[in-house]
């Protein structure tokens, strides 16, 4: 058959939501390149997706259901696998009730057709336990909604207009590469760049100012800047009077931190913090690109809130390229998936996904007896890996995993089901960076017997007799229901029909306080929102100091790698992980590059090689996120060291908040 090139989009968990050109031959992907349907992709894409064929057709790909039989996984038919699942889940329900079943999914790399939809319908109608999805963006979402409501941030394209760009706990060189050339263009036109990050990231190396804060110490830094702005008459009183509430309360809380005290706590030079205040106050348009590195510690929610308060206090909104960007996924122009299934939330108990290990060990009345995993690889990505692995491996916990490849989680399952990947199923996906919505048809044929999530859960709904007349079931009906639930649905549908992609109807790159306003109930910015203040222990903007001890003095951070999306594509990586340490911390331990070390705390131990990094500040250790067991020498990864303790808001996992000790392996 002749090759064809078809348009698609990349739904993987990344702000950029790239448009793709996919060349297929007889249903098989032979080449993927960047499309030009959106300005941000601009014809180039990352290496991960250029090489997607290695993922789709590699030896780890699952092509048939597998059932555990006397300890071993053996090939089975779908009919057999669904029979086993139905019988086992019904037995659990008969014995302990449906809340003994836990659906387990995150779905950051999934759009509305493969996350939520029929899976949610199935589990809610069954009465299973609910899952609080807190791996990512829980604290940032709570903070943005609390302060601003669902308001779109500065469009990434508009960074070109900024005179000052602040990257705060974000590393676009790995995690959203299309922002990098835009930043470079802005710099070429004279914009200044500031990076706030415990390590010297690639962009920090080029920055005009790098504040290498101690992990978890952003609260004092941001509050000290706010205090300085108020104290020195640099706050935009007119803007605040008109658009903000709780201004004085924020001022009082910020007054806890002088520049000197914050600099000391964060381990940065007071003069550098002073420079930041001066630069930020003087520059417009000034934009803060806040990332997710900020939220993943005990102070994370307050840190995000304090950083987002800055553009309000300094009056940076109202101009193109001024304000902040965090996630645009929530922006008002988009639509929500929930109405697609109109499946009301149940009153069954809710389990925080970031505390799975303890839930499996300790929950009673009833204990968790079945875990159904899809769109997720918790052995690689959840905190407290040792407990997660032990819990999923238990004989008295029935585990189903629906997956594309044989992950560390799938290896522990009682039933493994093969799943389609994004080019093999239709997907409806909005960007959380790029403000675009794609309706991408399947362009390739799934190998073997892989099925979509909706095919799987549709079959289970039928087997459990949970279907109802009028339920949208196929993709067309689901998409129609989703768009039908949006006031902009008609306009979006019209754009999708013409181009396969839609931008915000009306204003394409909205400017905050010109085109869009806070979607809070009173339309104001809430600088100390009551609901968040009540939620954070001791109140919003409370700072909890580094809990390091003599036994475990190093703060472990676990940022993203450029070669994976969380753990996705980890099967393709052959290189082992290295633990990074600063030169001073390595010397103090007599370590040389390439030595085998053990990093440990009360939760577990990782054995791997060490890499001495001049880019890390002393006191900080780094292991990448998303590694698999084959990447370390003892089968454990960073997540074996990460506690189940949470950030101060929304039950967010604290992936950058482990304390560890490191020594040479013996
Ligand atoms: N290539 C690639 N792209 C990705 C992903 C991936 O795994 N790989 N993951 C996707 C997902 S799921 C997400 S959520 C986003 C994440 O996107 P980012 O937020 O950019 O990702 P991280 O690498 O987790 O963290 C960013 C930076 O925060 C720093 N950091 C850690 N702790 C702190 C702190 O306490 N304060 C401050 N100021 N900085 C801190 C880290 O050193 C790191 O450089 O990226 C998405 N894009
Ligand atoms: N140490 C550490 N751990 C972290 C983080 C960190 O910073 N540090 N970051 C956290 C963050 S930001 C995130 S977002 C999470 C992400 O963690 P996870 O939610 O576990 O995401 P992935 O690791 O990408 O795994 C998703 C899995 O879903 C499968 N999948 C994809 N599409 C489909 C589908 O349509 N159907 C089915 N059935 N399966 C599908 C993929 O093959 C993949 O194996 O990781 C968190 N883990
Ligand atoms: Mo994430």
């Amino acid at each position: 058959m002749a090759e064809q090139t078809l348009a698609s989009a990349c739904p993987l968990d990344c702000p950029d939501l790239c448009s793709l050109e996919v060349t297929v031959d007889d249903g098989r992907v032979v080449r993927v390149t960047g499309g030009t349907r959106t300005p941000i992709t601009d014809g180039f894409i990352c290496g991960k997706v250029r090489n997607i064929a290695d993922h789709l057709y590699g030896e780890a790909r699952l092509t048939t259901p597998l059932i555990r039989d006397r300890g071993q996984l053996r090939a089975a038919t779908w009919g057999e696998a669904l029979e086993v699942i139905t019988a086992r889940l019904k037995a659990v329900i008969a014995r302990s009730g449906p809340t003994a079943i836990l659906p387990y999914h995150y779905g950051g790399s999934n759009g509305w057709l493969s996350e939520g939809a029929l899976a949610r319908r199935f589990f809610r109608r069954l009465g299973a336990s609910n899952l609080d999805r807190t791996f990512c963006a829980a604290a940032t979402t709570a903070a943005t909604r609390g302060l601003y409501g669902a308001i779109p941030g500065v469009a990434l394209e508009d960074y070109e207009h900024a005179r000052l760009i602040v990257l705060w706990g974000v590393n676009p060189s790995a995690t959203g590469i299309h922002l990098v050339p835009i930043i470079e263009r802005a710099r070429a036109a004279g914009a200044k760049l500031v990076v706030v990050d415990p390590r010297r990231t690639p962009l920090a190396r080029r920055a005009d100012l790098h504040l290498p804060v101690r992990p978890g110490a952003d609260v004092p830094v941001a509050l000290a800047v706010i205090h300085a702005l108020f104290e020195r008459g640099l706050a935009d009183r007119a803007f605040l009077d008109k658009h903000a509430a709780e201004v004085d309360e924020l001022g009082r809380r910020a007054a806890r931190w002088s520049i000197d005290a914050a600099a000391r706590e964060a381990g940065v030079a007071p003069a550098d913090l002073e420079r930041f205040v001066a630069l930020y106050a003087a520059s417009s348009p000034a934009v803060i690109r806040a990332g997710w590195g900020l939220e993943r510690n005990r102070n994370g929610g307050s840190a995000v809130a304090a950083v987002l308060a800055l553009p309000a206090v300094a009056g940076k909104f109202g101009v193109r390229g001024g304000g902040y960007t965090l996630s645009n996924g929530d922006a008002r122009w988009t639509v929500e998936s929930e109405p697609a299934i109109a499946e009301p939330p149940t009153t069954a108990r809710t389990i925080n996904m970031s505390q799975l290990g303890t839930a499996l060990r300790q929950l009673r009345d009833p204990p968790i007896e079945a875990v159904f995993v899809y769109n997720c690889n918790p052995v690689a990505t959840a905190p407290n890996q040792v407990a997660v692995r032990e819990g999923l491996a238990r004989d008295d916990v029935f585990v189903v995993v629906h997956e594309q490849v044989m992950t560390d989680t799938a290896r522990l399952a009682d039933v493994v089901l093969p799943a389609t990947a994004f080019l093999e199923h239709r997907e409806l996906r909005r960007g959380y960076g790029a403000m675009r919505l794609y309706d991408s048809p399947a362009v390739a044929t799934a190998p073997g017997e892989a099925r979509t999530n909706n095919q799987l859960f549709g079959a289970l709904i039928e087997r459990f007799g949970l279907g109802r007349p009028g339920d949208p079931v196929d993709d067309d009906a689901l998409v129609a229901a989703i768009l039908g639930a949006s006031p902009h649905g008609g306009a979006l549908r019209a754009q999708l029909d013409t181009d396969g992609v839609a931008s915000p109807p009306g204003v394409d790159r909205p400017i905050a306080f010109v085109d869009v306003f806070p979607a809070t109930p009173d339309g104001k910015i809430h600088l100390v929102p009551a609901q968040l203040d009540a939620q954070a222990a001791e109140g919003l903007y409370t700072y909890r100091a580094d809990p390091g001890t003599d036994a475990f003095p190093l703060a472990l951070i676990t940022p993203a790698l450029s070669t994976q999306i969380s753990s996705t594509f980890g099967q393709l990586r052959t290189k082992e992980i290295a633990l990074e340490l600063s030169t001073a911390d390595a010397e103090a331990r007599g370590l040389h590059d390439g030595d085998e070390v053990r990093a440990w705390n009360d939760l577990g131990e990782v054995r791997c090689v060490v890499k001495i990094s001049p880019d890390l500040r002393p006191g900080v250790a780094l292991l990448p996120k998303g590694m698999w067991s084959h990447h370390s020498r003892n089968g454990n990864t960073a997540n074996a060291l990460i506690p189940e303790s949470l950030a101060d808001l929304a039950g967010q996992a604290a992936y950058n908040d482990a304390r560890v000790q490191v020594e040479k392996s013996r």
Side-chain angles (χ1 to χ4, degrees), residues 252-591:
R252 271 192 291 279
R253 296 188 191 196
R256 293 172 194 157
W257 292 98
S258 67
I259 294 286
D260 280 351
R264 205 175 319 118
E265 190 56 40
V268 298
D272 285 345
L273 202 45
E274 286 289 357
R275 248 187 93 202
F276 179 63
V277 174
L279 254 178
Y280 191 62
S283 311
S284 182
V287 61
I288 298 176
R289 202 305 177 244
W292 294 266
L294 261 177
E295 74 175 354
R296 300 186 183 149
N297 63 71
R298 65 206 175 278
N299 301 315
S302 290
V304 176
V307 169
L308 296 189
L310 277 166
V313 173
K316 298 301 177 190
F317 294 109
V319 289
R320 190 167 293 288
Y324 75 87
T325 314
L326 216 172
S327 177
N328 283 327
D330 218 18
R332 246 190 303 175
W333 68 276
T334 57
V335 289
E336 289 296 332
S337 60
E338 190 72 3
I341 52 169
E343 198 55 49
T346 71
T347 53
R349 70 178 173 193
T350 297
I351 294 170
N352 186 329
M353 73 182 302
S354 300
Q355 299 178 322
L356 176 64
T358 296
L360 285 166
R361 268 185 192 164
Q362 291 181 2
L363 271 187
R364 296 287 168 267
D365 298 325
I368 298 170
E369 294 176 37
V371 185
F372 203 125
V373 182
Y374 60 97
N375 302 349
C376 202
N377 183 11
V379 171
T381 56
N384 200 2
Q385 184 175 69
V386 174
V388 168
R389 201 186 276 129
E390 181 192 283
L392 294 178
R394 261 167 44 186
D395 288 338
D396 56 347
V397 179
F398 177 61
V399 178
V400 181
V401 177
H402 185 220
E403 246 305 343
Q404 297 164 1
V405 294
M406 186 54 100
T407 60
D408 289 346
T409 306
R411 276 179 210 291
L412 300 179
D414 297 294
V415 179
V416 179
L417 302 168
T420 49
F422 71 88
L423 298 169
E424 301 159 354
H425 53 234
R426 181 170 171 189
E427 188 63 282
L428 184 71
R429 172 74 154 150
R430 71 177 160 190
Y432 65 91
M435 278 183 269
R436 290 294 185 278
L437 173 72
Y438 283 93
D439 185 355
S440 314
V443 294
T445 312
E449 294 166 48
R451 289 192 186 171
T452 69
N453 292 17
N454 288 338
Q455 286 170 332
L456 160 62
F457 292 107
L460 288 172
I461 285 168
E462 209 162 283
R463 278 174 185 260
F464 281 79
L466 296 170
R468 290 177 197 159
D471 279 344
V473 172
D474 61 19
D475 289 347
D476 279 341
L478 286 165
V479 172
I482 291 166
L483 293 176
S486 163
H488 310 298
L492 295 170
R493 183 70 265 165
Q495 288 191 62
L496 291 171
D497 286 343
T498 330
D499 305 324
V501 57
S503 12
V507 191
D508 189 357
R509 292 170 290 133
I511 301 175
F513 298 92
V514 174
D515 305 310
V516 288
F517 293 85
T520 51
D522 60 1
K524 291 206 167 201
I525 305 171
H526 283 267
L527 294 170
V528 192
Q531 199 257 339
L532 300 189
D533 201 34
Q535 208 188 115
E538 292 162 71
L540 194 65
Y541 305 123
T542 300
Y543 173 68
R544 275 157 282 266
D546 190 306
T549 58
D550 289 345
F552 301 115
L554 297 165
L556 178 72
I557 58 170
T558 61
L561 277 179
S562 62
T563 46
Q564 293 184 199
I565 289 288
S566 297
S567 74
T568 299
F569 305 130
Q571 82 279 10
L572 302 173
R573 179 188 170 104
T574 50
K575 203 171 144 201
E576 64 177 327
I577 31 173
L579 173 108
E580 293 183 31
L581 276 186
S582 72
T583 315
D585 287 316
E587 271 173 9
R589 291 165 177 76
L591 298 172

Side-chain angles (χ1 to χ4, degrees), residues 13 48 136 171 174-175 197 199 216 218 292 560-561 564 566 625:
D13 195 338
K48 301 179 282 298
C136 176
N171 178 28
T175 60
D197 198 301
R199 63 186 175 135
D218 303 279
W292 294 266
L561 277 179
Q564 293 184 199
S566 297
K625 85 165 173 179

